Amino acid sequence: MPSSQSVDMRACGDSDWWALYTRHQHEKTVADMLSAKGFEVFLPQYESMRRWKDRSKLLSLPLFPCYVFVRGGLNRRLQVVTTPGVHMILYYGESVAIIPEDEIQAIRRTVEGPSRVEPHPFLKCGDRVRVTRGTLEGVEGILIRKKNMCRLVLSVDMLAQSVSVEIDGSDVEPVVPRGLIGSMTVGESAGAGRFREALLHGGGQMAGAREEPISVG
């Protein structure tokens, strides 16, 4: 959780990503000011149509409200925390909370891709899948059903927040932990096969389904 305790500089290298907690609706301002100071920042955004009585407008909103990701540069910490709009650095215990590179890259590829991405309630449990083709090839996440569509949920565990992106069910495969590959029974292997088959021909099976993780078994 966010904390204002002293930072353990050894816990965060120059290539590590970490997160800033900002004031409400100050994410873009903070990101722009830090970029101008020479910091490498990442502020993933999504588009949302907002409607008023007299007009509609397409807005770019932060996928992770009140958070900005920064890479390295903690030796210039004072320049960061004195930036207007910055509330605090995200800590894990007494050390800066490191955001795994693979989580950052998965989110980056999602927002830069052609599919619609949006915030999603934090989801930790469920069957993991891997994208096998397309712009998100190799990305792993949890597959859910929403309005008869498949969506891939990606999470940043340190923030306890998730995002989701539309995906074709035929473009994913179950993720089997390495230690279990050689010990899978015939029934478990067949279950994984049925999972993929259900996705390939699941239009009717998924009709009317509520949002829920898809079971491999």
Side-chain angles (χ1 to χ4, degrees):
M1 59 170 24
S3 167
S4 58
Q5 298 179 26
S6 60
V7 57
D8 182 355
M9 300 295 290
R10 296 168 298 177
C12 186
D14 289 339
S15 62
D16 290 325
W17 288 95
W18 43 283
L20 288 175
Y21 189 69
T22 74
R23 293 176 57 190
H24 179 55
Q25 296 183 346
H26 281 65
E27 303 92 346
K28 191 173 188 307
T29 299
V30 168
D32 288 344
M33 286 191 289
L34 289 179
S35 293
K37 293 179 180 181
F39 289 92
E40 181 179 353
V41 301
F42 177 44
L43 177 62
Q45 300 181 83
Y46 72 105
E47 293 186 339
S48 177
M49 181 64 72
R50 297 301 171 91
R51 294 179 173 84
W52 292 268
K53 290 183 179 180
D54 58 338
R55 60 192 171 94
S56 297
K57 186 176 182 180
L58 188 63
L59 302 178
S60 291
L61 303 174
L63 268 174
F64 302 98
C66 294
Y67 286 100
V68 173
F69 300 104
V70 184
R71 190 172 199 171
L74 273 173
N75 58 323
R76 300 165 57 199
R77 175 172 173 263
L78 185 61
Q79 295 183 40
V80 174
V81 297
T82 56
T83 299
V86 171
H87 186 58
M88 64 180 67
I89 295 173
L90 189 70
Y91 284 80
Y92 184 72
E94 296 186 357
S95 299
V96 173
I98 305 301
I99 311 299
E101 176 75 19
D102 58 345
E103 292 183 353
I104 293 290
Q105 293 307 319
I107 299 298
R108 188 188 297 277
R109 292 174 63 185
T110 299
V111 297
E112 292 177 351
S115 300
R116 175 180 171 80
V117 61
E118 61 186 28
H120 189 278
F122 183 56
L123 185 60
K124 185 70 174 175
C125 300
D127 295 311
R128 293 191 65 81
V129 298
R130 180 185 299 110
V131 181
T132 58
R133 56 187 173 187
T135 58
L136 296 180
E137 182 177 355
V139 171
E140 297 182 9
I142 297 175
L143 200 64
I144 62 170
R145 299 177 294 192
K146 183 177 182 181
K147 297 180 180 178
N148 304 331
M149 298 288 292
C150 288
R151 298 190 69 88
L152 185 70
V153 178
L154 308 174
S155 299
V156 176
D157 291 341
M158 281 295 180
L159 307 188
Q161 294 192 28
S162 301
V163 301
S164 69
V165 60
E166 292 178 2
I167 195 166
D168 191 323
S170 63
D171 291 345
V172 300
E173 63 181 6
V175 173
V176 180
R178 292 182 179 180
L180 297 180
I181 293 178
S183 60
M184 285 183 67
T185 66
V186 174
E188 290 170 336
S189 179
R194 289 195 302 271
F195 167 77
R196 185 170 180 83
E197 187 70 14
L199 291 178
L200 287 170
H201 305 93
Q205 296 170 313
M206 292 166 59
R210 294 176 297 177
E211 179 178 331
E212 57 185 20
I214 295 178
S215 175
V216 174

